[in-house]
């Protein structure tokens, strides 16, 4: 009996060592790609002539629009505010010489997809960035204290990803090439108290993306989900950038280094390290009343001091 237990613990120990070795290799890969940009310009161009970006009027979506245009792709901007899209389109055309198409659509509504489909006809779409999203509460709040825009959040954060993927994946499948980047969030990696609706909606994006990648990777299509933490954008009230909080431009530039590395990542090295640290916290501590008090007090004060919250 003693020999059996000894062998059992040896096997368990080897498995634990293997798991941590794989984690070290993963971090080594991100460190390498953080400092040595190895994505060839031709990779993105080989997927197709056009990139479609939802939520392109601000923040991460706007940054992807400019960066993908710099990589030689024509751009389809989709967002709610026509004036913003027109300004961004002119800036991209002047800076890169690429063609830009505008589609005005409000992703909090469910009746927009036939209109989008008609406007995408005839375009060889190689890249789709499902970026559009809404955060009902930047400050941590209990579910019943959050605004009642539940259906709008579901349409914007969940329905948009499903419907836009459905529209464009068919074309990618027929050509057997394409790249879909789904922007989730670090708070979607596990349930976050006091951000319940946002966390749940972003968890859907994670699970949906990973399942689709398993279905379509052998058909030449890459479907990747990004799970960043703090990014300074209008949605986060322009949080002051620091070691953890990235600007949208910096985040997007770094995230494109990793588009060929797997189905899921945080998008930047700093957030990969943060995610690794957060996963060390035991669940009982993370879901305790003490942690919720920490969010409601210290973290709320930090947000108020570092964001444009009125």
């Amino acid at each position: 009996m003693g020999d059996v237990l000894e062998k059992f613990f040896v096997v368990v120990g080897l498995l634990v060592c293997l798991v941590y070795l794989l984690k070290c290799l993963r971090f080594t890969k991100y460190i390498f790609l953080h400092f040595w940009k190895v994505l060839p310009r031709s990779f993105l161009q080989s997927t197709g002539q056009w990139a479609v970006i939802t939520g392109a009027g601000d923040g991460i979506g706007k940054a992807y629009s400019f960066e993908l245009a710099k990589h030689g792709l024509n751009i389809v901007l989709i967002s709610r505010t026509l004036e913003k899209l027109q300004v961004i389109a002119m800036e991209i055309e002047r800076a890169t010489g690429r063609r830009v198409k505008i589609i005005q659509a409000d992703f909090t509504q469910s009746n927009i997809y036939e209109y989008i489909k008609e406007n995408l006809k005839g375009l060889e779409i190689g890249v789709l960035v499902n970026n559009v999203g809404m955060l009902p509460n930047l400050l941590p709040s209990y579910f019943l204290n959050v605004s009642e825009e539940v259906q709008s959040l579901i349409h914007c954060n969940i329905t948009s990803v499903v419907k836009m993927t459905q529209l464009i994946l068919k074309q990618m499948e027929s050509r057997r090439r394409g790249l879909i980047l789904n922007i989730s969030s670090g708070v979607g990696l596990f349930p976050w108290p006091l951000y319940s609706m946002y966390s749940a909606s972003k968890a859907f994006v994670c699970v949906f993306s990973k399942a689709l990648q398993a279905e379509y990777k052998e058909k030449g299509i890459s479907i990747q989900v990004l799970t960043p933490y703090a990014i300074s954008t209008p949605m986060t009230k322009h949080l002051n950038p620091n070691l953890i909080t990235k600007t949208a431009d910096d985040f997007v530039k770094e995230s494109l280094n990793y588009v060929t590395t797997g189905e899921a990542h945080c998008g930047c090295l700093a957030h990969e390290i943060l995610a690794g640290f957060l996963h060390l916290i035991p669940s009982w501590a993370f879901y305790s009343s003490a942690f919720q008090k920490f969010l409601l007090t210290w973290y709320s004060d930090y947000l108020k001091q570092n964001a444009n919250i009125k």
Side-chain angles (χ1 to χ4, degrees), residues 88-242:
I88 294 169
M90 289 178 59
E91 291 175 352
I92 291 174
E93 288 172 345
R94 288 173 181 170
T96 67
R98 307 310 304 175
R99 296 167 60 193
V100 181
K101 183 178 178 66
I102 290 173
I103 302 176
Q104 183 184 16
D106 182 355
F107 284 98
T108 64
Q109 306 300 312
S110 61
N111 59 349
I112 61 174
Y113 296 99
E114 279 301 317
Y115 173 74
I116 293 174
K117 181 179 179 180
E118 287 298 314
N119 279 272
L120 293 178
K121 278 186 176 179
L123 302 183
E124 184 190 68
I125 299 168
V127 178
L128 167 63
V129 182
N130 279 314
N131 163 75
V132 69
M134 60 183 293
L135 174 63
N137 55 307
L138 179 60
L139 296 176
S141 304
Y142 288 103
F143 172 67
L144 292 179
N145 296 336
V146 179
S147 67
E148 297 181 359
E149 298 177 343
V150 172
Q151 196 59 57
S152 293
L153 181 142
I154 292 171
H155 283 320
C156 193
N157 292 12
I158 297 177
T159 306
S160 68
V161 177
V162 176
K163 297 296 287 185
M164 290 302 300
T165 301
Q166 193 175 39
L167 285 178
I168 292 173
L169 186 57
K170 291 178 182 178
Q171 182 194 122
M172 290 180 173
E173 183 183 23
S174 67
R175 294 186 293 112
R176 300 189 68 83
R177 54 197 169 100
L179 170 67
I180 298 176
L181 300 177
N182 291 331
I183 312 302
S184 178
S185 169
V187 301
L189 294 174
F190 44 86
W192 272 70
L194 306 178
Y195 290 98
S196 55
M197 278 298 298
Y198 185 72
S199 175
S201 69
K202 292 303 184 178
F204 171 87
V205 176
C206 287
V207 174
F208 178 68
S209 302
K210 291 176 181 179
L212 281 186
Q213 175 61 10
E215 292 178 20
Y216 287 93
K217 62 183 177 182
E218 293 185 0
K219 299 183 179 183
I221 301 165
S222 297
I223 301 169
Q224 190 176 77
V225 60
L226 283 76
T227 55
Y229 286 91
I231 307 292
S232 180
T233 66
M235 189 173 77
T236 58
K237 309 298 183 185
H238 299 285
L239 269 169
N240 294 331
N242 54 39

Side-chain angles (χ1 to χ4, degrees), residues 15-27:
L15 289 174
V16 171
C17 290
L18 179 61
V19 168
Y20 278 95
L21 176 62
L22 291 173
K23 287 186 176 181
C24 289
L25 290 174
R26 176 183 171 89
F27 276 115

